[in-house]
Amino acid sequence: MGRTLARAGLPLFAAALALPVIALVVAALAWDATSASVLREMAATVLPGYVWTSIWLCLGVAVAVGLVGSVTAVAVTLFDFPGRRTAEWLLLLPLAMPAYVVAYAYTDFLQFSGPLQTTLREAFGWQGRLFPEIRNPWGAAWVFTFTLYPYVYLLARTALAERAPQLLEAARLLGAPLGRRVREVALPLARPAIAAGIALALMETLADYGVVSYFGVQTFTAGIYKAWLVMDDRTAAAQLALMLLATVALLLWAERRAQRRLRFSAARAQRQGADAQPARLAGRQVVLAWAVCGLPVVFGFVLPVAFMLRPLVQGWDELPWHAFVGWARNSLLLAGGSALLATGAALALAHAGRRAPSVLNRWVVRVVGLGYAVPGAVVVVGLLLPVGWAQARWPDSSVSYWVTATVLGIVWAYLVRFTAVALQSVQSGYSRIPASWDDAAATLGVAGAALWWRVHWPLLRRSTLAALLLVFVDVMKELPATLVLRPFNSDTLAVVAHQLARDERLGEAALPALALVAVGLIPVVLLSRALRRGDAAAC
């Protein structure tokens, strides 16, 4: 009986997580004259703006994160200079910064009434605006660049560390100068990693709502929320969500293709000889290396934190500490509960995939693993569409109440997006447990639940803890789904920071924003330690 429930439960769980995508596909298939009329009206009014703004924003972010991430990865991997080890983990710090917090920080400091322009006008007697408005697509590209470049940096750094040294040494022995070795050997080897990192950064860019709504940038995500919440047009919201989902699916395909090329290159490179030493820098070269590594950290972490600390310190006596405790409690409860559920589901899925690697289980794991690529706006529309259909079909039912007025809906949305994060961490833990150990345990009479508890679990504790932590932090920072699906009077730190910043109360927004940054630092510190251990093992 238990095995039958388990076999049925996992596919049902995967179907529940895939419901947003299924609902959008069903909405697309149910095409009628009304849908065609709405699409024609959007094509004549707002759709071209959404398309071109999203394209130009993605192009700017792709070029910038590719350049910053690859240059910093080359600097810390192929060159040796004083403080290189420090630069390696400093470059990870922007991962702790939610993009919308960086947007609030720069806006507060650089706006017309901000401290920089006010000080310059008073000091030099200047009049009017001294700097262009940051709340535009170029300002959004700046924010995304310095919060998302670590995706490219991490993947490119790993690729260069694993494959470049041997081939660079061979090129040096053949007489190639340093610049040519980097340009023609190292960067082509890291190209799949750079492409994968850019694809991940673009998925985050398209999924963002906090930055684009605060800056007034009309992307697909902003259009989805405007269509649903302002215009109350579900058909238009569904069509925009489906377009966004198709774009993200294309980026996901490109990222997976780049990852496959990356693994192929790694397999070939591991057959090379001994590692070569990084090139030693001296004098002005050290200054240049620190400028290359330091500026992204300054723009993506140091300055935003400093900009948010200023209003926090100035308004310390007026900060809403009592309300902050409530916001923090709501965030912690939602994040903790969602992390436990997502990690428990990931453990069950990974164990089922290991013990019974059937076609069904492989597809279940694959469906769940795609959840993180689905933007929060798409999840919201995909969950609310079937709720609306059910409420229209059964008017006396309480379906809409349970999804929109309780924690069920928001936790459901979190599981759709972040179970994939936990699953990836748990699967990485299982990959380090040889299958032969299961056979050895079976010969000793250990099977079923005892096998998992006595053999697997002791070896999965670290991966499980990492999964809990990653989902916890992602839920704490999640804004789009939380903004729509949170129950009444249960604001979270992310929602409050967004609302206060939107009302130009940036001094009060600094408190929840910096709390989110502090939480985000935890996985960054752990990631830095893991990378150091990996480098030490490689040496």
Side-chain angles (χ1 to χ4, degrees), residues 107 296 316 349 408 435 526:
T107 300
W316 186 266
L349 288 167
L408 176 62
L526 296 179

Side-chain angles (χ1 to χ4, degrees), residues 282-338:
R284 294 181 179 179
Q285 295 175 332
V286 175
V287 177
L288 178 60
W290 263 108
V292 167
C293 297
L295 288 177
V297 180
V298 170
F299 291 138
F301 183 82
V302 177
L303 287 181
V305 170
F307 294 161
M308 296 301 284
L309 282 174
R310 182 195 60 83
L312 183 71
V313 173
Q314 289 181 348
W316 186 266
D317 295 334
E318 301 177 0
L319 291 176
W321 288 105
H322 180 72
F324 173 78
V325 172
W327 306 331
R329 182 183 64 251
N330 293 335
S331 297
L332 292 174
L333 289 175
L334 284 173
S338 301

